[in-house]
Amino acid sequence: EIVMTQSPATLSVSPGERATLSCRASQSVSSNLAWYQQKPGQAPRLLIYGASTRATGIPARFSGSGSGTEFTLTISSLQSEDFAVYYCQQYNNWPHTFGRGTKLEIK
Amino acid sequence: QLQLQESGPGLVKPSETLSLTCIVSGGSISSSSYYWGWIRQSPGKGLEWIGSIYYSGSTFYNPSLKSRVTISVDTSKNQFSLTLSSVTAADTAMYYCVRQGLAARRFFDYWGQGTLVTVSS
């Protein structure tokens, strides 16, 4: 199965600043990569699919890039509601696999 | 607005079978555009895709669980179900039902709120 590795495990950023989260696949997943946001006590929410397409209702400050094995989620100007855990997930191959997450915390 | 709601026992004894149901509202489970699946989350293993089913009954399972998992669909009730046999403490997790697209859209765009299942005697 494809292993998804996210870094860093924890990222401390001040509100208003930019956050850059990384995700690496153990083999190419083309652009079949999604990002999810999870807040405490809630289910994950789809943010990005196709590596760079925002899901319905997702603010423009969220952007995704990359293809193959290296991917990035960027949040351009952090709002208070953005502090959460972020997961990447590949859907190029079965079984679909997730990274272990990056916790974005307030600095 | 599509909604998914999990239901089932919150406590299962070791070696027994876990059974959960997901009721879909605000949309048809018989849509030809989607799979319907189960994902679990535990502190030890993180997010783990369990399996998915098409309305016709075609299934895809995670090989790590395939020998113990069955996912079924009931289009008349607009719901689908998960059974996991011979459970152990390692199966303790939050279980989510999800909607999944097809082909190049096999991401999970709708999630239920989740149901916590604890395996303990």
Side-chain angles (χ1 to χ4, degrees), chain B residues 49-86:
Chain B
W49 170 74
I50 298 170
S52 300
I53 190 165
Y54 195 53
Y55 77 96
S56 64
S58 298
T59 52
F60 302 84
Y61 296 137
N62 192 320
S64 68
L65 297 168
K66 187 174 183 178
S67 64
R68 299 193 292 130
V69 170
T70 302
I71 297 176
S72 59
V73 64
D74 186 336
T75 56
S76 68
K77 295 182 179 179
N78 221 39
Q79 65 186 42
F80 61 106
S81 300
L82 167 72
T83 61
L84 180 65
S85 63
S86 305

Side-chain angles (χ1 to χ4, degrees), chain B residues 15-55:
Chain B
S15 80
E16 295 190 345
T17 296
L18 177 162
S19 295
L20 298 174
T21 295
C22 180
I23 297 174
V24 178
S25 58
S28 174
I29 204 169
S30 298
S31 168
S32 59
S33 300
Y34 300 103
Y35 296 118
W36 305 90
W38 292 94
I39 290 169
R40 69 182 183 179
Q41 185 174 30
S42 62
K45 286 195 169 184
L47 287 161
E48 182 178 30
W49 170 74
I50 298 170
S52 300
I53 190 165
Y54 195 53
Y55 77 96

Side-chain angles (χ1 to χ4, degrees), chain A residues 1 32-34 36 38 41-46 48-50 87 89-100, chain B residues 35 39 41-49 52 60 62-63 96 100 103-109 111-113:
Chain A
E1 73 177 38
N32 296 313
L33 189 285
Y36 302 84
Q38 187 177 32
Q42 297 183 15
R45 176 177 70 145
L46 177 68
I48 300 282
Y49 62 90
Y87 296 95
Q89 177 241 332
Q90 67 81 19
Y91 51 94
N92 194 64
N93 289 20
W94 302 91
H96 304 317
T97 48
F98 292 84
R100 293 307 297 262
Chain B
Y35 296 118
I39 290 169
Q41 185 174 30
S42 62
K45 286 195 169 184
L47 287 161
E48 182 178 30
W49 170 74
S52 300
F60 302 84
N62 192 320
Y96 296 101
Q100 179 182 18
R105 297 182 63 87
R106 291 198 305 266
F107 45 85
F108 306 107
D109 60 352
W111 297 61
Q113 66 184 24

